[in-house]
Amino acid sequence: MDAGIGVSVGAALVWGCYLFYLKRAFDGYAASTLTVLINGFALVWYLPVFLATLGVGEAGDALAGFGMAQVGAIALTAVSVAGAMIAFLRALAVGEVSYVAPISKIVPVFVLPIEIVALGQVLTPLEVGGVVVATAAVYVANFRGGALLDPLRRATTSSAARLALLSAMAFAVGDVARRVGLQELGIPVALWVPLLLGGVAVVLVPAALRAGTPATVRADLPKLAAGGLLVAGGEWLTNIAFSLVPASIASPIINTQAVVAVVLGGLLLDEQGFGVRLVAAGLAVAGVTMIAL
C-alpha cells in the first residue's frame, strides 16, 4: 500500500509538471501536431519498459485474442483522449495554466453520470457532494469579485474555460472506456500504454499533416523529447499505481496534478489571481477525492 501511494504521488508530480511544461515550452504548434510529436517520443521512451514487462510474444498473444469489444474500447479511448488533448492545449494557448488546470481536472464530475447511464453506477451522497465541490472549483477559478453570478457568466464566455470543460468531458469518456478495457475486458496494463499513445497519434495524424509543423521543430526536438519522457513516465507510473492500490486511493492522489500545475504557474510564471486559483485547485482535488472514496 505504501509503495502504491508513493507511486501515485510520483505520477501526480510528473503530470503536474507536464501541464506546466506544455504552457512554458511550446509556441506556434497546432495542438494536433504537438500531441503527435510528443506521443511519438513517448512511445520511444516507453519501448524498453514494454519489452521488459510484457515482451513481443505475450503482446502478440494478447492482440490475437482481441475481439470487437477490445478494439472498440481502445478506439473510443484514443479518440476521446485525442479530442481532450486538442481542447486542453487550445485552452492553454488562450488561458493561463493556473486558470485552466483546476477546470480541466474535474473529470470525475462527468465520469459519474456516464457510469450511471452506461454501467449502472449508483451515486452515493458522498459522491453527490464531491460533484458539488468540484463544480464549485470552476466557480472559484472564475471569481474576480463583483456579483455572485459573474463567475458563471465568465465560465460560459471565456474560451479558455469552455475548452477546459470540453477537455474534462472528453477525458471522462476516455476514462470510462479505459476502465471497461482494463477491468471488464482484461486488456494487459503494459499493452494499454503503447496502444493508447499510438492510437491517439494515429487519430491526430491527418489533422497534424494539414496543420504542418513550425520551422522551429528541428531546434525543438530536445524539448519534444523531454515532453515525451514526461508523458511516458506519467502513463507508466499511473498504471503501476492502479495495479498496486485501489482506484479510490490512486485517483484522487494523481489528480492533485492540478495543484502542482497551479503552484508552478503562479510561482514561476507570475500568473495573476494565484491565491484564488490555488483555492480552486484545492476544491477540485477535494471534489475528486470525495467522488473517488
Side-chain angles (χ1 to χ4, degrees), residues 118-184:
L119 303 177
Q121 182 76 33
V122 178
L123 211 63
T124 67
L126 185 61
E127 289 170 333
V128 173
V131 172
V132 173
V133 172
T135 304
V138 180
Y139 178 91
V140 173
N142 283 277
F143 185 73
R144 301 291 186 278
L148 291 178
L149 294 180
D150 283 351
L152 301 180
R153 298 189 187 100
R154 189 172 293 110
T156 58
T157 58
S158 165
S159 296
R162 290 200 301 267
L163 288 166
L165 284 171
L166 181 61
S167 74
M169 294 177 194
F171 273 127
V173 174
D175 280 355
V176 175
R178 184 197 304 259
R179 169 198 157 173
V180 171
L182 292 174
Q183 295 185 23
E184 278 76 8

Short mmCIF file of all heavy atoms in Angstrom, two decimals, residues 118-184:
data_model
loop_
_atom_site.label_atom_id
_atom_site.label_comp_id
_atom_site.label_asym_id
_atom_site.label_seq_id
_atom_site.Cartn_x
_atom_site.Cartn_y
_atom_site.Cartn_z
N ALA A 118 -24.30 4.27 -18.47
CA ALA A 118 -23.74 3.18 -19.27
C ALA A 118 -23.45 1.92 -18.47
O ALA A 118 -23.57 0.81 -19.00
CB ALA A 118 -22.46 3.66 -19.97
N LEU A 119 -23.06 2.07 -17.19
CA LEU A 119 -22.61 0.92 -16.41
C LEU A 119 -23.45 0.67 -15.17
O LEU A 119 -23.11 -0.20 -14.36
CB LEU A 119 -21.14 1.10 -16.01
CG LEU A 119 -20.15 1.30 -17.17
CD1 LEU A 119 -18.75 1.55 -16.64
CD2 LEU A 119 -20.16 0.11 -18.11
N GLY A 120 -24.52 1.43 -14.98
CA GLY A 120 -25.41 1.20 -13.84
C GLY A 120 -24.83 1.60 -12.51
O GLY A 120 -25.21 1.07 -11.47
N GLN A 121 -23.90 2.56 -12.52
CA GLN A 121 -23.29 3.04 -11.28
C GLN A 121 -24.33 3.73 -10.41
O GLN A 121 -25.17 4.49 -10.91
CB GLN A 121 -22.16 4.02 -11.60
CG GLN A 121 -21.42 4.56 -10.39
CD GLN A 121 -20.46 3.54 -9.81
OE1 GLN A 121 -19.89 2.74 -10.54
NE2 GLN A 121 -20.28 3.58 -8.51
N VAL A 122 -24.29 3.47 -9.10
CA VAL A 122 -25.20 4.11 -8.15
C VAL A 122 -24.48 5.24 -7.45
O VAL A 122 -23.36 5.06 -6.95
CB VAL A 122 -25.72 3.09 -7.11
CG1 VAL A 122 -26.63 3.78 -6.10
CG2 VAL A 122 -26.47 1.96 -7.81
N LEU A 123 -25.10 6.41 -7.42
CA LEU A 123 -24.48 7.60 -6.83
C LEU A 123 -24.73 7.63 -5.32
O LEU A 123 -25.87 7.55 -4.87
CB LEU A 123 -25.07 8.86 -7.47
CG LEU A 123 -24.17 10.08 -7.58
CD1 LEU A 123 -22.99 9.77 -8.47
CD2 LEU A 123 -24.95 11.25 -8.15
N THR A 124 -23.67 7.73 -4.52
CA THR A 124 -23.80 7.84 -3.07
C THR A 124 -23.88 9.32 -2.68
O THR A 124 -23.50 10.20 -3.46
CB THR A 124 -22.59 7.21 -2.36
OG1 THR A 124 -21.42 7.99 -2.65
CG2 THR A 124 -22.37 5.77 -2.84
N PRO A 125 -24.37 9.61 -1.47
CA PRO A 125 -24.41 11.01 -1.01
C PRO A 125 -23.04 11.66 -1.03
O PRO A 125 -22.92 12.85 -1.36
CB PRO A 125 -24.96 10.90 0.41
CG PRO A 125 -25.78 9.65 0.40
CD PRO A 125 -25.05 8.70 -0.51
N LEU A 126 -21.98 10.92 -0.68
CA LEU A 126 -20.64 11.49 -0.69
C LEU A 126 -20.22 11.86 -2.12
O LEU A 126 -19.60 12.90 -2.34
CB LEU A 126 -19.63 10.50 -0.09
CG LEU A 126 -18.19 11.00 0.08
CD1 LEU A 126 -18.16 12.19 1.03
CD2 LEU A 126 -17.30 9.89 0.59
N GLU A 127 -20.57 11.02 -3.07
CA GLU A 127 -20.24 11.31 -4.47
C GLU A 127 -21.00 12.52 -4.97
O GLU A 127 -20.46 13.35 -5.72
CB GLU A 127 -20.54 10.09 -5.34
CG GLU A 127 -19.56 8.94 -5.11
CD GLU A 127 -20.00 7.65 -5.78
OE1 GLU A 127 -21.22 7.46 -5.98
OE2 GLU A 127 -19.13 6.82 -6.11
N VAL A 128 -22.25 12.65 -4.57
CA VAL A 128 -23.03 13.84 -4.93
C VAL A 128 -22.35 15.08 -4.37
O VAL A 128 -22.21 16.10 -5.06
CB VAL A 128 -24.48 13.73 -4.41
CG1 VAL A 128 -25.22 15.05 -4.64
CG2 VAL A 128 -25.21 12.60 -5.11
N GLY A 129 -21.91 15.00 -3.11
CA GLY A 129 -21.19 16.12 -2.51
C GLY A 129 -19.91 16.43 -3.25
O GLY A 129 -19.54 17.59 -3.44
N GLY A 130 -19.21 15.40 -3.72
CA GLY A 130 -17.99 15.61 -4.49
C GLY A 130 -18.24 16.34 -5.79
O GLY A 130 -17.46 17.21 -6.20
N VAL A 131 -19.35 16.00 -6.45
CA VAL A 131 -19.72 16.70 -7.68
C VAL A 131 -19.95 18.17 -7.41
O VAL A 131 -19.50 19.06 -8.15
CB VAL A 131 -20.97 16.06 -8.32
CG1 VAL A 131 -21.48 16.91 -9.49
CG2 VAL A 131 -20.68 14.65 -8.80
N VAL A 132 -20.63 18.46 -6.31
CA VAL A 132 -20.92 19.85 -5.95
C VAL A 132 -19.62 20.61 -5.65
O VAL A 132 -19.41 21.74 -6.11
CB VAL A 132 -21.86 19.91 -4.73
CG1 VAL A 132 -22.02 21.34 -4.23
CG2 VAL A 132 -23.22 19.32 -5.08
N VAL A 133 -18.72 19.99 -4.88
CA VAL A 133 -17.47 20.65 -4.51
C VAL A 133 -16.60 20.87 -5.75
O VAL A 133 -16.02 21.95 -5.93
CB VAL A 133 -16.70 19.82 -3.46
CG1 VAL A 133 -15.31 20.38 -3.23
CG2 VAL A 133 -17.47 19.78 -2.15
N ALA A 134 -16.49 19.86 -6.61
CA ALA A 134 -15.67 20.00 -7.81
C ALA A 134 -16.25 21.05 -8.75
O ALA A 134 -15.50 21.80 -9.39
CB ALA A 134 -15.56 18.65 -8.53
N THR A 135 -17.56 21.12 -8.83
CA THR A 135 -18.18 22.14 -9.67
C THR A 135 -17.91 23.53 -9.09
O THR A 135 -17.72 24.50 -9.83
CB THR A 135 -19.71 21.90 -9.77
OG1 THR A 135 -19.93 20.58 -10.26
CG2 THR A 135 -20.35 22.91 -10.71
N ALA A 136 -17.87 23.60 -7.76
CA ALA A 136 -17.55 24.88 -7.12
C ALA A 136 -16.16 25.36 -7.49
O ALA A 136 -15.88 26.56 -7.50
CB ALA A 136 -17.67 24.74 -5.60
N ALA A 137 -15.27 24.43 -7.82
CA ALA A 137 -13.91 24.81 -8.24
C ALA A 137 -13.95 25.66 -9.49
O ALA A 137 -13.17 26.61 -9.65
CB ALA A 137 -13.06 23.56 -8.46
N VAL A 138 -14.84 25.33 -10.41
CA VAL A 138 -14.98 26.13 -11.64
C VAL A 138 -15.45 27.53 -11.30
O VAL A 138 -14.97 28.52 -11.85
CB VAL A 138 -15.97 25.45 -12.62
CG1 VAL A 138 -16.12 26.27 -13.89
CG2 VAL A 138 -15.49 24.05 -12.96
N TYR A 139 -16.38 27.61 -10.34
CA TYR A 139 -16.89 28.91 -9.91
C TYR A 139 -15.76 29.75 -9.30
O TYR A 139 -15.57 30.92 -9.66
CB TYR A 139 -18.00 28.70 -8.88
CG TYR A 139 -18.58 29.98 -8.32
CD1 TYR A 139 -19.67 30.59 -8.93
CD2 TYR A 139 -18.04 30.57 -7.18
CE1 TYR A 139 -20.21 31.77 -8.41
CE2 TYR A 139 -18.56 31.74 -6.66
CZ TYR A 139 -19.65 32.33 -7.28
OH TYR A 139 -20.16 33.49 -6.77
N VAL A 140 -14.99 29.14 -8.39
CA VAL A 140 -13.92 29.88 -7.72
C VAL A 140 -12.84 30.31 -8.71
O VAL A 140 -12.31 31.43 -8.63
CB VAL A 140 -13.30 29.02 -6.59
CG1 VAL A 140 -12.08 29.70 -5.99
CG2 VAL A 140 -14.34 28.77 -5.49
N ALA A 141 -12.50 29.43 -9.65
CA ALA A 141 -11.47 29.76 -10.64
C ALA A 141 -11.85 30.97 -11.47
O ALA A 141 -11.00 31.70 -11.98
CB ALA A 141 -11.20 28.57 -11.54
N ASN A 142 -13.16 31.21 -11.61
CA ASN A 142 -13.64 32.33 -12.41
C ASN A 142 -14.01 33.55 -11.57
O ASN A 142 -14.49 34.55 -12.11
CB ASN A 142 -14.88 31.91 -13.23
CG ASN A 142 -14.51 31.08 -14.44
OD1 ASN A 142 -14.14 31.61 -15.47
ND2 ASN A 142 -14.58 29.76 -14.30
N PHE A 143 -13.79 33.49 -10.25
CA PHE A 143 -14.21 34.58 -9.37
C PHE A 143 -13.21 35.74 -9.42
O PHE A 143 -12.01 35.56 -9.24
CB PHE A 143 -14.35 34.09 -7.93
CG PHE A 143 -14.90 35.13 -7.00
CD1 PHE A 143 -16.23 35.49 -7.07
CD2 PHE A 143 -14.08 35.77 -6.08
CE1 PHE A 143 -16.75 36.46 -6.22
CE2 PHE A 143 -14.59 36.73 -5.23
CZ PHE A 143 -15.93 37.09 -5.30
N ARG A 144 -13.72 36.92 -9.69
CA ARG A 144 -12.89 38.13 -9.69
C ARG A 144 -13.52 39.24 -8.85
O ARG A 144 -13.20 40.41 -9.00
CB ARG A 144 -12.71 38.66 -11.13
CG ARG A 144 -12.08 37.70 -12.10
CD ARG A 144 -10.61 37.46 -11.78
NE ARG A 144 -10.00 36.64 -12.80
CZ ARG A 144 -10.08 35.32 -12.85
NH1 ARG A 144 -10.74 34.67 -11.90
NH2 ARG A 144 -9.51 34.65 -13.81
N GLY A 145 -14.48 38.87 -8.00
CA GLY A 145 -15.22 39.87 -7.26
C GLY A 145 -16.47 40.28 -8.04
O GLY A 145 -16.70 39.83 -9.16
N GLY A 146 -17.28 41.13 -7.46
CA GLY A 146 -18.48 41.60 -8.13
C GLY A 146 -19.67 40.75 -7.79
O GLY A 146 -19.75 40.12 -6.71
N ALA A 147 -20.64 40.68 -8.71
CA ALA A 147 -21.87 39.95 -8.48
C ALA A 147 -21.62 38.45 -8.38
O ALA A 147 -20.66 37.92 -8.97
CB ALA A 147 -22.87 40.24 -9.61
N LEU A 148 -22.50 37.75 -7.65
CA LEU A 148 -22.31 36.32 -7.44
C LEU A 148 -22.40 35.52 -8.73
O LEU A 148 -21.79 34.45 -8.84
CB LEU A 148 -23.37 35.81 -6.45
CG LEU A 148 -23.22 36.30 -4.99
CD1 LEU A 148 -24.36 35.76 -4.15
CD2 LEU A 148 -21.88 35.85 -4.41
N LEU A 149 -23.16 36.02 -9.71
CA LEU A 149 -23.31 35.28 -10.96
C LEU A 149 -22.21 35.58 -11.97
O LEU A 149 -22.14 34.93 -13.02
CB LEU A 149 -24.69 35.59 -11.59
CG LEU A 149 -25.91 35.10 -10.80
CD1 LEU A 149 -27.19 35.46 -11.54
CD2 LEU A 149 -25.84 33.58 -10.59
N ASP A 150 -21.35 36.54 -11.66
CA ASP A 150 -20.28 36.89 -12.61
C ASP A 150 -19.37 35.72 -12.95
O ASP A 150 -19.02 35.54 -14.13
CB ASP A 150 -19.45 38.06 -12.06
CG ASP A 150 -20.17 39.39 -12.21
OD1 ASP A 150 -21.22 39.42 -12.90
OD2 ASP A 150 -19.69 40.39 -11.64
N PRO A 151 -18.94 34.90 -11.97
CA PRO A 151 -18.08 33.77 -12.34
C PRO A 151 -18.74 32.80 -13.30
O PRO A 151 -18.08 32.23 -14.17
CB PRO A 151 -17.79 33.10 -10.99
CG PRO A 151 -17.95 34.19 -9.99
CD PRO A 151 -19.08 35.03 -10.51
N LEU A 152 -20.05 32.58 -13.15
CA LEU A 152 -20.75 31.68 -14.06
C LEU A 152 -20.80 32.26 -15.47
O LEU A 152 -20.62 31.55 -16.46
CB LEU A 152 -22.16 31.39 -13.55
CG LEU A 152 -22.24 30.76 -12.15
CD1 LEU A 152 -23.69 30.55 -11.76
CD2 LEU A 152 -21.47 29.45 -12.12
N ARG A 153 -21.02 33.58 -15.53
CA ARG A 153 -21.02 34.22 -16.85
C ARG A 153 -19.63 34.14 -17.47
O ARG A 153 -19.49 33.92 -18.68
CB ARG A 153 -21.45 35.68 -16.72
CG ARG A 153 -22.87 35.88 -16.18
CD ARG A 153 -23.29 37.34 -16.29
NE ARG A 153 -24.57 37.58 -15.64
CZ ARG A 153 -24.70 38.11 -14.44
NH1 ARG A 153 -23.61 38.46 -13.74
NH2 ARG A 153 -25.89 38.31 -13.92
N ARG A 154 -18.60 34.33 -16.64
CA ARG A 154 -17.22 34.29 -17.15
C ARG A 154 -16.89 32.90 -17.67
O ARG A 154 -16.21 32.74 -18.68
CB ARG A 154 -16.25 34.71 -16.04
CG ARG A 154 -14.82 34.91 -16.52
CD ARG A 154 -13.97 35.51 -15.42
NE ARG A 154 -14.38 36.88 -15.11
CZ ARG A 154 -14.96 37.26 -13.99
NH1 ARG A 154 -15.23 36.37 -13.06
NH2 ARG A 154 -15.30 38.51 -13.78
N ALA A 155 -17.35 31.85 -16.97
CA ALA A 155 -17.06 30.49 -17.40
C ALA A 155 -17.72 30.16 -18.73
O ALA A 155 -17.20 29.37 -19.51
CB ALA A 155 -17.53 29.50 -16.33
N THR A 156 -18.88 30.78 -18.98
CA THR A 156 -19.58 30.50 -20.24
C THR A 156 -19.09 31.36 -21.38
O THR A 156 -19.30 31.02 -22.55
CB THR A 156 -21.10 30.70 -20.07
OG1 THR A 156 -21.35 32.05 -19.64
CG2 THR A 156 -21.66 29.73 -19.03
N THR A 157 -18.43 32.47 -21.07
CA THR A 157 -17.96 33.35 -22.13
C THR A 157 -16.46 33.23 -22.38
O THR A 157 -15.97 33.66 -23.43
CB THR A 157 -18.28 34.82 -21.81
OG1 THR A 157 -17.69 35.18 -20.55
CG2 THR A 157 -19.79 35.04 -21.71
N SER A 158 -15.72 32.66 -21.44
CA SER A 158 -14.28 32.52 -21.59
C SER A 158 -13.95 31.33 -22.49
O SER A 158 -14.38 30.20 -22.22
CB SER A 158 -13.62 32.33 -20.22
OG SER A 158 -12.30 31.86 -20.36
N SER A 159 -13.19 31.57 -23.54
CA SER A 159 -12.78 30.47 -24.42
C SER A 159 -11.95 29.45 -23.68
O SER A 159 -12.10 28.24 -23.87
CB SER A 159 -12.00 31.03 -25.61
OG SER A 159 -12.81 31.87 -26.41
N ALA A 160 -11.05 29.93 -22.81
CA ALA A 160 -10.20 29.01 -22.05
C ALA A 160 -11.04 28.11 -21.16
O ALA A 160 -10.78 26.90 -21.07
CB ALA A 160 -9.19 29.80 -21.22
N ALA A 161 -12.04 28.68 -20.48
CA ALA A 161 -12.89 27.88 -19.58
C ALA A 161 -13.71 26.87 -20.36
O ALA A 161 -13.82 25.70 -19.97
CB ALA A 161 -13.80 28.81 -18.78
N ARG A 162 -14.28 27.29 -21.49
CA ARG A 162 -15.10 26.37 -22.29
C ARG A 162 -14.25 25.22 -22.82
O ARG A 162 -14.67 24.06 -22.80
CB ARG A 162 -15.76 27.12 -23.44
CG ARG A 162 -16.86 28.09 -23.01
CD ARG A 162 -17.78 28.41 -24.18
NE ARG A 162 -17.03 29.00 -25.28
CZ ARG A 162 -16.86 30.31 -25.46
NH1 ARG A 162 -17.39 31.17 -24.58
NH2 ARG A 162 -16.20 30.78 -26.49
N LEU A 163 -13.06 25.53 -23.29
CA LEU A 163 -12.19 24.48 -23.81
C LEU A 163 -11.72 23.54 -22.70
O LEU A 163 -11.63 22.33 -22.91
CB LEU A 163 -10.98 25.12 -24.51
CG LEU A 163 -11.27 25.79 -25.86
CD1 LEU A 163 -10.09 26.66 -26.28
CD2 LEU A 163 -11.57 24.73 -26.92
N ALA A 164 -11.43 24.10 -21.51
CA ALA A 164 -11.02 23.26 -20.39
C ALA A 164 -12.15 22.32 -19.96
O ALA A 164 -11.91 21.14 -19.66
CB ALA A 164 -10.58 24.13 -19.21
N LEU A 165 -13.38 22.84 -19.93
CA LEU A 165 -14.53 21.99 -19.60
C LEU A 165 -14.73 20.91 -20.66
O LEU A 165 -15.03 19.75 -20.35
CB LEU A 165 -15.79 22.85 -19.48
CG LEU A 165 -15.93 23.66 -18.19
CD1 LEU A 165 -17.10 24.63 -18.29
CD2 LEU A 165 -16.11 22.75 -16.99
N LEU A 166 -14.56 21.28 -21.93
CA LEU A 166 -14.69 20.31 -23.02
C LEU A 166 -13.64 19.21 -22.88
O LEU A 166 -13.93 18.02 -23.09
CB LEU A 166 -14.56 21.01 -24.37
CG LEU A 166 -14.70 20.12 -25.61
CD1 LEU A 166 -16.07 19.47 -25.65
CD2 LEU A 166 -14.46 20.95 -26.88
N SER A 167 -12.42 19.60 -22.50
CA SER A 167 -11.36 18.59 -22.33
C SER A 167 -11.72 17.65 -21.18
O SER A 167 -11.48 16.44 -21.26
CB SER A 167 -10.01 19.27 -22.08
OG SER A 167 -9.92 19.81 -20.77
N ALA A 168 -12.29 18.20 -20.09
CA ALA A 168 -12.68 17.36 -18.95
C ALA A 168 -13.75 16.35 -19.37
O ALA A 168 -13.71 15.18 -18.98
CB ALA A 168 -13.17 18.22 -17.80
N MET A 169 -14.72 16.81 -20.17
CA MET A 169 -15.78 15.90 -20.65
C MET A 169 -15.20 14.78 -21.51
O MET A 169 -15.55 13.61 -21.36
CB MET A 169 -16.81 16.69 -21.45
CG MET A 169 -17.60 17.69 -20.66
SD MET A 169 -18.72 18.64 -21.74
CE MET A 169 -19.21 19.97 -20.66
N ALA A 170 -14.29 15.15 -22.42
CA ALA A 170 -13.71 14.15 -23.31
C ALA A 170 -12.83 13.17 -22.54
O ALA A 170 -12.85 11.97 -22.80
CB ALA A 170 -12.89 14.84 -24.41
N PHE A 171 -12.06 13.69 -21.58
CA PHE A 171 -11.25 12.80 -20.75
C PHE A 171 -12.14 11.84 -19.97
O PHE A 171 -11.77 10.68 -19.73
CB PHE A 171 -10.39 13.60 -19.78
CG PHE A 171 -9.07 14.04 -20.35
CD1 PHE A 171 -8.69 15.38 -20.30
CD2 PHE A 171 -8.20 13.13 -20.92
CE1 PHE A 171 -7.47 15.79 -20.82
CE2 PHE A 171 -6.98 13.53 -21.44
CZ PHE A 171 -6.61 14.87 -21.40
N ALA A 172 -13.33 12.30 -19.55
CA ALA A 172 -14.25 11.45 -18.80
C ALA A 172 -14.71 10.27 -19.65
O ALA A 172 -14.75 9.12 -19.18
CB ALA A 172 -15.45 12.26 -18.33
N VAL A 173 -15.05 10.54 -20.90
CA VAL A 173 -15.45 9.45 -21.80
C VAL A 173 -14.30 8.46 -21.96
O VAL A 173 -14.48 7.24 -21.90
CB VAL A 173 -15.88 10.01 -23.17
CG1 VAL A 173 -16.15 8.88 -24.16
CG2 VAL A 173 -17.12 10.88 -23.04
N GLY A 174 -13.09 9.00 -22.13
CA GLY A 174 -11.92 8.13 -22.26
C GLY A 174 -11.66 7.32 -21.00
O GLY A 174 -11.27 6.15 -21.08
N ASP A 175 -11.87 7.91 -19.83
CA ASP A 175 -11.63 7.20 -18.57
C ASP A 175 -12.60 6.03 -18.40
O ASP A 175 -12.20 4.95 -17.94
CB ASP A 175 -11.77 8.15 -17.39
CG ASP A 175 -10.53 9.00 -17.18
OD1 ASP A 175 -9.53 8.78 -17.90
OD2 ASP A 175 -10.55 9.89 -16.32
N VAL A 176 -13.86 6.24 -18.76
CA VAL A 176 -14.83 5.15 -18.65
C VAL A 176 -14.49 4.03 -19.63
O VAL A 176 -14.53 2.84 -19.29
CB VAL A 176 -16.26 5.67 -18.90
CG1 VAL A 176 -17.25 4.51 -18.91
CG2 VAL A 176 -16.66 6.66 -17.81
N ALA A 177 -14.12 4.41 -20.86
CA ALA A 177 -13.72 3.40 -21.84
C ALA A 177 -12.46 2.67 -21.38
O ALA A 177 -12.32 1.46 -21.57
CB ALA A 177 -13.48 4.06 -23.20
N ARG A 178 -11.54 3.41 -20.76
CA ARG A 178 -10.31 2.80 -20.22
C ARG A 178 -10.66 1.78 -19.14
O ARG A 178 -10.09 0.69 -19.09
CB ARG A 178 -9.40 3.88 -19.65
CG ARG A 178 -8.05 3.37 -19.15
CD ARG A 178 -7.39 4.40 -18.25
NE ARG A 178 -7.24 5.68 -18.89
CZ ARG A 178 -6.08 6.13 -19.42
NH1 ARG A 178 -5.00 5.37 -19.35
NH2 ARG A 178 -6.02 7.32 -19.97
N ARG A 179 -11.58 2.16 -18.24
CA ARG A 179 -11.98 1.25 -17.17
C ARG A 179 -12.56 -0.04 -17.75
O ARG A 179 -12.23 -1.14 -17.32
CB ARG A 179 -13.02 1.93 -16.28
CG ARG A 179 -13.67 0.94 -15.30
CD ARG A 179 -14.97 1.44 -14.72
NE ARG A 179 -15.78 0.33 -14.27
CZ ARG A 179 -16.91 0.48 -13.59
NH1 ARG A 179 -17.36 1.67 -13.31
NH2 ARG A 179 -17.60 -0.58 -13.22
N VAL A 180 -13.42 0.09 -18.76
CA VAL A 180 -14.02 -1.09 -19.37
C VAL A 180 -12.94 -1.97 -20.01
O VAL A 180 -12.94 -3.19 -19.87
CB VAL A 180 -15.06 -0.68 -20.43
CG1 VAL A 180 -15.54 -1.89 -21.22
CG2 VAL A 180 -16.25 0.00 -19.75
N GLY A 181 -11.99 -1.31 -20.70
CA GLY A 181 -10.94 -2.07 -21.36
C GLY A 181 -10.03 -2.80 -20.40
O GLY A 181 -9.69 -3.98 -20.61
N LEU A 182 -9.63 -2.15 -19.32
CA LEU A 182 -8.68 -2.74 -18.39
C LEU A 182 -9.33 -3.69 -17.39
O LEU A 182 -8.74 -4.71 -17.02
CB LEU A 182 -7.95 -1.63 -17.62
CG LEU A 182 -6.99 -0.76 -18.45
CD1 LEU A 182 -6.45 0.39 -17.60
CD2 LEU A 182 -5.85 -1.59 -19.00
N GLN A 183 -10.56 -3.38 -16.95
CA GLN A 183 -11.19 -4.19 -15.92
C GLN A 183 -12.13 -5.25 -16.52
O GLN A 183 -11.91 -6.44 -16.36
CB GLN A 183 -11.96 -3.30 -14.95
CG GLN A 183 -11.06 -2.36 -14.15
CD GLN A 183 -11.82 -1.56 -13.10
OE1 GLN A 183 -12.90 -1.96 -12.66
NE2 GLN A 183 -11.27 -0.44 -12.71
N GLU A 184 -13.15 -4.81 -17.23
CA GLU A 184 -14.13 -5.76 -17.76
C GLU A 184 -13.56 -6.63 -18.88
O GLU A 184 -13.90 -7.81 -18.98
CB GLU A 184 -15.37 -5.01 -18.27
CG GLU A 184 -16.39 -4.65 -17.20
CD GLU A 184 -15.97 -3.46 -16.35
OE1 GLU A 184 -14.95 -2.82 -16.69
OE2 GLU A 184 -16.64 -3.15 -15.37
#
